[in-house]
């Protein structure tokens, strides 16, 4: 039985390549809406440098409103070199992203790492090491050193400090999601921390150890983050669900993208209690902005995660994932993957749409 849905989706293209890749994600969503007779309404809003230029604020109240009225949010990327080169800039685009995460309560960032058969040869890692790798990182997103107080500079400006703090409650919230995910996957959770040095990490261990008693079918193990950084590229197949705090998760997921062949491939879901946001893990890649060369798969796969996580549309989500897989297998890819025979961002997006229609007509 077909369950037709009517949903509002906030579209936040952001900066750099954000708008180009996000519109490919929207195309994929619209193709799904057409095939499955759902009704998706899109509302665009400004975020990041684009929002600073227009309003002085990287996450303006109008944008917050649009997000809060939406059933889900599709987001592109944030960041602009004119701010990166100016460490004294008072407002930074990234503050918009952090404010958005905090204000919308997006506490868990889910980043699946998959190896694509057709992309095995382009990874700098050996095929036999990455073939079959399939894990998911649960990165805590609204706590830790990213948000801890106090932070700042000493009065004379010669010292700076950041604070890392976590509460048991924050740790439990994301950890429960990680254990539930593991129950539907390979039944292993690896907590990545630095418990040999950090007090916050010891609280993570203690809390997660206690929680694990409620999930007897799940194997829990622990890994120091430095060791995990090595294991992720040495033996990625070891991992099933990786659970970690904010900054460690930021770092190891960029590293893990090497397994997929390109940073442009990886989607993510940022889960909130009320609504969730979906975004590729890559940044705004300003050098490529406006050139129609950026890899849209991360954004398209983020749209697939949106369908599954926000709307429970598992079949529709799988169709997008399968379409991406087919298009990648055909070598129909952007220059980051195949510089010798590169397709444009839009061509890749159109090919995914075409494939979505093909796959659905085969099924019906
Ligand atoms: C990410 C990004 C952000 C982060 C930056 C842009 C603030 O790297 O989403 O991983 O560090 O969280
Ligand atoms: Mn990052």
């Amino acid at each position: 039985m077909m369950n037709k849905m009517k949903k509002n989706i906030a579209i936040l293209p952001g900066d750099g390549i954000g708008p180009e890749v996000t519109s490919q994600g929207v195309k994929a969503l619209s193709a799904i809406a057409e095939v499955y007779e759902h009704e998706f309404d899109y509302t665009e809003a400004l975020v990041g440098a684009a929002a600073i230029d227009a309003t002085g604020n990287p996450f303006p109240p109008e944008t917050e409103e649009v997000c809060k009225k939406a059933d889900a949010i599709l987001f592109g990327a944030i960041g602009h070199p004119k701010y990166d080169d100016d460490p004294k800039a008072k407002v930074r685009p990234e503050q918009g992203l952090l404010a958005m995460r905090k204000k919308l309560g997006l506490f868990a960032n889910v980043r699946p790492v998959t190896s694509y058969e057709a992309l095995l040869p382009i990874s700098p890692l050996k095929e036999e090491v990455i073939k079959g790798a399939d894990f998911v990182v649960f990165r805590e997103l609204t706590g830790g050193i990213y948000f801890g107080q106090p932070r700042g500079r000493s009065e004379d400006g010669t010292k700076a400090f950041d604070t890392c703090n976590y509460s048991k409650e924050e740790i439990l919230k994301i950890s429960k999601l990680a254990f539930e995910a593991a129950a539907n996957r390979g039944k292993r959770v690896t907590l990545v921390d630095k418990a040999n040095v950090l007090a916050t990490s010891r609280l993570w261990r203690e809390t997660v150890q206690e929680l694990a008693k409620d999930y007897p079918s799940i194997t829990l193990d622990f890994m120091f983050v430095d060791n995990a950084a090595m294991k992720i590229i040495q033996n990625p197949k070891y991992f099933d669900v990786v659970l970690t705090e904010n900054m460690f998760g930021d770092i190891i997921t960029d590293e893990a993208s090497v397994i997929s062949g390109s940073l442009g491939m990886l989607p993510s879901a940022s889960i909130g209690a009320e609504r969730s946001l979906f975004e590729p893990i890559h940044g705004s890649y300003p050098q490529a902005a406006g050139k129609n060369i950026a890899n849209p798969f991360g954004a398209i796969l983020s749209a697939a995660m949106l369908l599954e996580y926000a709307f429970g549309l598992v079949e529709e989500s799988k169709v997008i994932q399968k379409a991406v897989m087919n298009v990648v297998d055909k070598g129909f890819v952007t220059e980051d993957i195949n510089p010798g025979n590169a397709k444009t961002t839009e061509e890749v997006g159109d090919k995914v749409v075409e494939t979505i229609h093909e796959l659905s007509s085969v099924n019906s």
Side-chain angles (χ1 to χ4, degrees):
M1 205 187 65
M2 203 127 103
N3 184 10
K4 291 178 196 173
M5 283 193 178
K6 183 169 162 44
K7 296 284 185 191
N8 291 315
I9 305 174
I11 307 293
L12 274 46
D15 303 325
I17 59 168
E20 296 158 64
V21 296
T22 305
S23 45
Q24 310 315 311
V26 172
K27 268 193 216 165
L29 289 173
S30 297
I32 289 290
E34 198 184 321
V35 171
Y36 289 86
E37 295 177 38
H38 300 304
E39 192 180 327
F40 297 153
D41 291 322
Y42 310 107
T43 313
E44 262 202 40
L46 292 173
V47 71
I52 299 178
D53 292 345
T55 72
N57 180 345
F59 185 57
E62 303 86 79
T63 301
E64 191 177 336
E65 243 343 90
V66 169
C67 291
K68 289 192 165 155
K69 282 194 185 133
D71 299 304
I73 305 157
L74 186 67
F75 164 63
I78 258 180
H80 193 285
K82 76 179 171 205
Y83 300 95
D84 295 342
D85 299 342
D86 176 10
K88 291 211 161 84
K90 289 240 153 37
V91 233
R92 309 179 58 78
E94 288 80 2
Q95 289 165 343
L97 181 57
L98 300 179
M100 184 160 79
R101 289 173 180 169
K102 199 69 177 177
K103 289 188 169 163
L104 301 176
L106 308 174
F107 63 93
N109 187 219
V110 185
R111 298 185 164 184
V113 180
T114 327
S115 70
Y116 292 86
E117 192 75 30
L119 303 188
L120 292 174
I122 70 160
S123 174
L125 302 173
K126 287 203 185 84
E127 281 199 32
E128 68 262 28
V129 171
I130 53 176
K131 191 173 172 176
D134 173 18
F135 61 94
V136 56
V137 180
F138 279 71
R139 167 190 175 194
E140 200 289 327
L141 205 58
T142 46
I145 201 164
Y146 272 59
F147 293 96
Q149 295 292 344
R151 63 196 297 149
R153 287 276 180 113
S154 61
E155 258 172 42
D156 68 0
T158 60
K159 288 186 189 125
F161 47 94
D162 296 287
T163 306
C164 182
N165 47 34
Y166 268 110
S167 70
K168 253 185 139 137
E169 196 192 337
E170 282 173 301
I171 297 169
L172 278 174
K173 235 161 58 171
I174 179 168
S175 301
K176 283 180 187 158
L177 291 186
F179 276 86
E180 277 153 26
N184 295 317
R185 299 179 41 105
K187 309 213 165 15
R188 180 206 295 276
V189 171
T190 303
L191 176 66
V192 168
D193 65 18
K194 190 73 188 172
N196 49 349
V197 178
L198 302 177
T200 43
S201 285
R202 287 193 285 272
L203 182 65
W204 271 84
R205 270 199 194 199
E206 195 183 297
T207 309
V208 172
Q209 235 157 6
E210 258 168 50
L211 179 70
K213 293 182 191 143
D214 298 341
Y215 298 87
S217 67
I218 310 288
T219 308
L220 170 67
D221 61 10
F222 306 97
M223 212 179 268
F224 296 141
V225 61
D226 47 353
N227 185 28
M230 180 178 76
K231 280 273 162 51
I232 278 176
I233 48 173
Q234 195 181 47
N235 184 17
K237 277 174 267 191
Y238 173 83
F239 298 97
D240 178 31
V241 173
V242 174
L243 169 63
T244 192
E245 62 98 69
N246 203 343
M247 189 153 78
F248 297 159
D250 178 46
I251 298 168
I252 63 171
T253 50
D254 264 33
E255 185 194 11
S257 75
V258 179
I259 295 165
S260 289
S262 169
L263 188 59
M265 292 302 298
L266 262 61
S268 81
S270 298
I271 308 291
E274 313 276 332
R275 74 197 63 69
S276 302
L277 174 146
F278 301 83
E279 57 168 307
I281 86 154
H282 62 68
S284 61
Y285 190 16
Q287 303 84 343
K291 293 190 181 154
N292 201 14
I293 57 173
N295 184 339
F297 287 129
I300 295 170
L301 292 166
S302 297
M305 287 188 89
L306 183 154
L307 292 175
E308 179 181 344
Y309 283 70
F311 304 158
L313 298 173
V314 177
E315 183 184 328
E316 287 86 334
S317 174
K318 289 236 159 67
V319 168
I320 296 186
Q321 289 170 40
K322 204 165 165 201
V324 167
M325 203 63 105
N326 286 5
V327 173
V328 171
D329 277 345
K330 286 191 185 120
F332 205 99
V333 292
T334 42
E335 66 164 32
D336 52 314
I337 298 179
N338 190 355
N341 180 20
K343 305 296 177 195
T344 66
T345 307
E346 269 188 56
E347 283 170 337
V348 171
D350 290 340
K351 194 75 175 170
V352 170
V353 166
E354 190 188 308
T355 312
I356 289 172
H357 284 290
E358 274 167 25
L359 289 171
S360 330
S361 63
V362 172
N363 288 341
S364 60

